[in-house]
Amino acid sequence: MTPLTLLTPSQPKPHQPLFVYLPGMDGSGYLLRSQLPHLAPHFDIRCLQLPPDDLRDWHSLAQETLDLLAPLRQGRPLYLFGESFGGCLALMMASQQPDCCDRLILSNPASALQRRPLLLWGSHLVQWMPDVLNAISALGLLPFLAALDRIPPENRHALLDAMRHVSSKAITWRIGLLRDFRIPPEDLARIHPPTLILASTLDHLLPSLNEAQDLIRILPNAKIHHLPHSGHACLLERDTNLLNILKQEDFLSKQLTTNHLI
């Protein structure tokens, strides 16, 4: 089986806190691009990349990602950031190993898929679509994935390219994982690291705000950061600055604040 990969999108900083990005359905690890100029001076950043033909179940995917991160941590604070599909993976990792990170950040986690019965039903059809139709349908999905008027043209192209490069086999696998995604409430309640959930009010793909409100009732140390004008792919929007959000929410470790980040 093809191994999971950790990309290093900026100069390694072994003495800085570790920031790990878990990607959405595209699995590319490249869509943190807009946030890198702000985050890179202050974090040692890694981005998980998923093989397009991956058939791991949730448990294996979480455990192998944890194994990849273990030698990198070396006593440093670890910020685990999961976007959409990656938000589910982050929750799975933290439920399996509650001390896996010092800060947990979720952006419009795709656990909200359970609230869209029509999407769940339609997801069964994806396996019958050839890749060429998937590429065309990606263009039609773009307005649901993103608030296009808030995303610069270069980021729209990056999002579309990432979606088009996911094969129907990979989409079928990932949607199947989301369809089966379940973490018992008692396991979620064991996730004690401070947790910040970014919730886009104008997410037309998933009811992310409702999902965030439910999650903070279970997660013992969680809060919501509302993005009232954002869509699902909020990281690519010109007005979204993740570093500033972390500052606003007092979500930075003492090591970062000591280094005069704020």
Side-chain angles (χ1 to χ4, degrees):
M1 188 177 292
T2 307
L4 305 180
T5 305
L6 283 176
L7 305 176
T8 305
S10 58
Q11 184 69 28
K13 297 180 176 63
H15 302 296
Q16 295 281 32
L18 192 61
F19 186 100
V20 177
Y21 170 64
L22 307 178
M25 283 284 289
D26 64 287
S28 69
Y30 296 134
L31 293 183
L32 190 65
R33 50 180 286 152
S34 296
Q35 306 303 322
L36 290 175
H38 310 293
L39 296 171
H42 311 291
F43 291 98
D44 190 14
I45 301 175
R46 300 292 186 278
C47 299
L48 182 69
Q49 188 172 67
L50 304 179
D53 57 350
D54 196 271
L55 298 177
R56 291 170 177 85
D57 59 19
W58 279 119
H59 177 83
S60 299
L61 193 56
Q63 188 57 57
E64 291 182 38
T65 305
L66 289 168
D67 292 343
L68 278 176
L69 298 183
L72 291 174
R73 196 170 183 184
Q74 300 178 339
R76 295 182 288 171
L78 192 158
Y79 287 64
L80 187 62
F81 179 80
E83 180 183 21
S84 190
F85 178 92
C88 293
L89 177 55
L91 286 170
M92 190 65 67
M93 291 166 62
S95 68
Q96 290 183 195
Q97 187 178 313
D99 63 348
C100 73
C101 62
D102 298 276
R103 300 285 190 276
L104 178 62
I105 310 161
L106 310 173
S107 179
N108 298 321
S111 49
L113 183 68
Q114 303 298 328
R115 299 173 179 273
R116 285 278 199 261
L118 191 58
L119 273 180
L120 284 172
W121 176 82
S123 67
H124 291 281
L125 302 178
V126 174
Q127 60 186 311
W128 305 111
M129 293 174 63
D131 288 347
V132 65
L133 288 182
N134 277 336
I136 295 170
S137 66
L139 187 60
L141 277 174
L142 207 55
F144 294 94
L145 282 168
L148 295 180
D149 59 326
R150 296 171 58 84
I151 295 182
E154 63 273 18
N155 286 350
R156 292 185 213 170
H157 294 311
L159 176 58
L160 190 56
D161 286 344
M163 293 166 61
R164 282 174 165 166
H165 281 88
V166 183
S167 69
S168 58
K169 180 179 179 181
I171 292 174
T172 300
W173 167 68
R174 290 169 196 168
I175 291 178
L177 286 181
L178 292 177
R179 212 168 35 231
D180 299 334
F181 181 77
R182 297 286 188 284
I183 299 178
E186 59 270 23
D187 290 346
L188 288 175
R190 295 172 57 238
I191 300 175
H192 287 283
T195 301
L196 181 64
I197 306 174
L198 278 56
S200 296
T201 304
L202 299 183
D203 186 342
H204 299 305
L205 184 68
L206 297 172
S208 293
L209 183 56
N210 291 340
E211 181 69 7
Q213 290 167 339
D214 277 358
L215 283 172
I216 65 167
R217 295 188 187 103
I218 303 172
L219 297 169
N221 198 8
K223 58 182 176 179
I224 297 175
H225 181 88
H226 292 100
L227 296 169
H229 307 295
S230 292
H232 188 71
C234 59
L235 292 184
L236 296 173
E237 296 176 6
R238 63 173 60 87
D239 295 328
T240 301
N241 184 317
L242 182 57
L243 185 68
N244 283 345
I245 290 171
L246 299 181
K247 292 180 188 178
Q248 284 178 265
E249 297 292 350
D250 193 25
F251 209 69
L252 299 171
S253 68
K254 286 184 179 179
Q255 181 172 341
L256 280 178
T257 55
T258 302
N259 289 339
H260 308 294
L261 178 59
I262 58 174

